[in-house]
Amino acid sequence: SPAVAVPQSMLGTGEHYALEVRGDSMIDAGINDGDVVVIRETSAAENGDIVVALVEDSEATLKRFRRRNGMIALEAANPAYETRMLRDDQVKVQGRLVGLIRTY
């Protein structure tokens, strides 16, 4: 895939990486299939953050993060997708969304 120039203003401090979005689960957050998101590496997330979460060490997914009743809810931004409720030990936050680059 082609390299993407990321504006320095998006980055701030820390390690960053870019991911190409697959699918439409975050479409209501303005994130479309084929967009490139800029992720800052972190294992911490606040309620409402859009994060890259590694689920059961196998599947990386971009979702909105919430803690709810001792569980972690990974919410899609598309009513066609159900919120996934997972135990703390099933989810590892890999990073937080800091920017979006639309590629046409």
Side-chain angles (χ1 to χ4, degrees):
S1 59
V4 176
V6 176
Q8 189 62 40
S9 60
M10 270 185 194
L11 295 183
T13 57
E15 292 294 311
H16 291 77
Y17 52 94
L19 293 176
E20 187 176 339
V21 175
R22 287 268 162 258
D24 61 357
S25 71
M26 295 303 287
I27 205 158
D28 287 356
I31 302 168
N32 300 319
D33 186 43
D35 284 350
V36 173
V37 289
V38 181
I39 304 296
R40 183 169 66 84
E41 265 185 45
T42 177
S43 58
E46 301 291 324
N47 278 341
D49 283 350
I50 295 177
V51 301
V52 175
L54 185 65
V55 178
E56 294 178 328
D57 288 327
S58 61
E59 171 208 356
T61 184
L62 186 73
K63 294 286 181 291
R64 199 174 293 282
F65 175 96
R66 290 194 199 284
R67 291 192 182 277
R68 195 183 293 163
N69 304 330
M71 304 278 282
I72 291 174
L74 296 179
E75 298 177 353
N78 180 333
Y81 293 81
E82 288 190 7
T83 295
R84 293 170 69 181
M85 299 297 294
L86 296 153
R87 293 190 319 273
D88 207 38
D89 64 354
Q90 292 175 294
V91 179
K92 290 192 183 83
V93 173
Q94 306 280 291
R96 190 167 60 79
L97 179 81
V98 293
L100 175 71
I101 300 162
R102 179 132 304 142
T103 52
Y104 293 101

